[in-house]
Amino acid sequence: MSRDQQDAAEAGVHPHSNSRMNPVYRRRLLYHRLGMLFSFAAMALGLIMLMWILLTLVIKGFGALNLGLLTQNTPSPGGEGGGLLNAITGSVLMVGISTLISTPIGILAGIYLAEYGEESKLAQTTRFVTDIMLSAPSIVIGLFVYAIYVANIGHFSGWAGTFAISLIAIPVIVRTTDNMLKLVPSSLREAAFSLGTPRWKVAMMIRLRAVKAGVVTGVLLAVARISGETAPLLFTALNNQFFSTNMNRPIANLPVVINQFAMSPYNNWVSLAWGGALLITFSVLLLNILSRTLFSQKIPG
């Protein structure tokens, strides 16, 4: 089929008809080509901006990468050298504990929505609230945790930051699990029911196992999402210049340190901020690559 025939078919006109003189066909063909042109232009613009950002990040952040960045604590104002060990440790602690909290809650909630979502008003309400939390600004969640936790105990803490980013991760895992479980063919469930398998066992041992790779991917995407959140941590965990693993006190973390150092007048701090931004970017990129390669799985048909 020639290019004109393909365009005619896409424009909704029979390719073998005498349509080149048809004004409707020519108008549709013009709109089609303009639409394709604008689509490719938008895609190219997005790729150019993305590559520009990544190139700038690599150029400015690569110079700050050294062993001291991973083995030394953040320097004092105006000091030389230093690293981000305390910030990296704090981020790993909060993100790790948040993952342990949000993963079982999100997966179990997603199973409930997929299994009983069409029968229970509670499930429909839960799905609605989950959608709202997915679109809620992270700073609102930070203010919420500040109001109900930080203000009551009287000080910032790593636990407050963990709870804040957990509230961001849970909706991501819930919706991913819910959507993945819906992809399991009904014939697989019906076969299990015909053998007398209880409904809870069908959900946990058959449906969930069939899409476990997709659920793990959702967990990794949630971890990637919360790894760079700054606004909630400003109201909850705040920061700490010194090395600390006490989750009941203010604790350093990469997003807040990057935000503080990037706006400082000290060149050393700005350089460390670029290095920290590069670390987070590469970490999130690695998680996305792992989620799309190692855990890729076809849904059984």
Side-chain angles (χ1 to χ4, degrees):
M1 181 181 291
S2 66
R3 180 62 184 176
D4 289 340
Q5 291 174 334
Q6 291 179 0
D7 291 340
E10 293 174 354
V13 180
H14 195 279
H16 298 292
S17 64
N18 189 13
S19 57
R20 292 191 177 183
M21 302 302 295
N22 189 329
V24 175
Y25 161 70
R26 289 191 295 179
R27 185 173 64 253
R28 291 181 178 178
L29 183 58
L30 175 62
Y31 291 159
H32 166 71
R33 289 177 174 173
L34 286 176
M36 294 297 296
L37 177 62
F38 289 141
S39 298
F40 279 111
M43 180 186 67
L45 179 61
L47 290 176
I48 291 173
M49 297 302 295
L50 176 61
M51 294 305 299
W52 185 15
I53 293 173
L54 291 178
L55 185 62
T56 303
L57 182 61
V58 170
I59 292 175
K60 293 183 176 294
F62 190 77
L65 294 182
N66 54 64
L67 186 60
L69 187 71
L70 305 177
T71 58
Q72 300 179 21
N73 294 330
T74 52
S76 59
E80 295 297 328
L84 299 173
L85 176 62
N86 54 336
I88 295 173
T89 303
S91 288
V92 170
L93 282 174
M94 286 192 290
V95 172
I97 298 175
S98 174
T99 303
L100 294 177
I101 294 174
S102 59
T103 297
I105 296 176
I107 291 177
L108 291 176
I111 292 174
Y112 176 77
L113 293 179
E115 195 66 31
Y116 302 96
E118 304 301 329
E119 305 173 6
S120 170
K121 291 185 177 180
L122 176 60
Q124 297 175 6
T125 304
T126 303
R127 184 177 285 112
F128 176 72
V129 173
T130 301
D131 291 339
I132 292 177
M133 291 183 64
L134 275 173
S135 58
S138 58
I139 192 171
V140 174
I141 296 177
L143 285 171
F144 171 75
V145 175
Y146 176 85
I148 67 171
Y149 185 80
V150 177
N152 290 324
I153 65 174
H155 60 82
F156 300 98
S157 69
W159 290 119
T162 300
F163 297 150
I165 59 178
S166 295
L167 291 178
I168 297 174
I170 288 175
V172 178
I173 301 175
V174 170
R175 293 302 289 163
T176 302
T177 304
D178 182 21
N179 293 332
M180 292 303 299
L181 290 174
K182 288 180 179 179
L183 297 178
V184 178
S186 58
S187 58
L188 190 63
R189 300 177 61 227
E190 293 169 357
F193 286 137
S194 66
L195 297 175
T197 308
R199 188 169 186 175
W200 69 267
K201 189 171 289 187
V202 171
M204 296 293 295
M205 305 299 295
I206 297 177
R207 295 185 73 184
L208 184 60
R209 181 172 295 180
V211 295
K212 60 182 179 181
V215 174
V216 172
T217 299
V219 174
L220 292 179
L221 293 176
V223 172
R225 163 89 185 271
I226 63 179
S227 296
E229 287 292 345
T230 305
L233 300 181
L234 288 171
F235 294 94
T236 52
L238 198 59
N239 196 7
N240 190 343
Q241 183 181 343
F242 306 100
F243 184 88
S244 174
T245 57
N246 184 3
M247 294 291 288
N248 200 38
R249 305 303 300 176
I251 191 170
N253 53 88
L254 271 176
V256 174
V257 168
I258 292 172
N259 178 71
Q260 177 186 355
F261 281 16
M263 296 187 298
S264 72
Y266 308 110
N267 293 331
N268 184 42
W269 276 20
V270 174
S271 177
L272 289 175
W274 282 109
L278 189 62
L279 283 178
I280 288 183
T281 302
F282 281 167
S283 300
V284 172
L285 178 61
L286 180 61
L287 285 176
N288 280 276
I289 292 175
L290 288 176
S291 66
R292 296 179 183 277
T293 54
L294 298 182
F295 299 102
S296 60
Q297 179 188 25
K298 292 184 178 180
I299 305 301

